[in-house]
Amino acid sequence: MARPIKETLILNGKDVERFKYNLEHPTPVSAEEVTKARGTYEKFKRITTYAI
């Protein structure tokens, strides 16, 4: 059985502004990092199985 989800923090003031800014202006990622992440994803995809 699943565990209940705990309450999360509520953002106020400057935290809200920083969070919104970070959503609208994501940090650029290099092509090398994207390639590495895709390779890792494919590796884990190959070794995992899920019963459906």
Side-chain angles (χ1 to χ4, degrees):
M1 185 148 126
R3 296 183 198 168
I5 299 172
K6 296 180 182 178
E7 288 188 32
T8 58
L9 298 174
I10 298 173
L11 299 177
N12 295 311
K14 295 279 185 188
D15 291 332
V16 174
E17 294 172 22
R18 190 176 328 117
F19 182 78
K20 185 176 176 185
Y21 179 84
N22 288 335
L23 283 178
E24 294 171 350
H25 302 91
T27 306
V29 179
S30 70
E32 180 181 315
E33 290 175 299
V34 171
T35 304
K36 184 177 177 183
R38 282 193 181 136
T40 303
Y41 167 75
E42 291 299 328
K43 177 182 173 184
F44 279 98
K45 196 168 96 172
R46 283 191 306 272
I47 64 172
T48 56
T49 57
Y50 297 100
I52 298 176

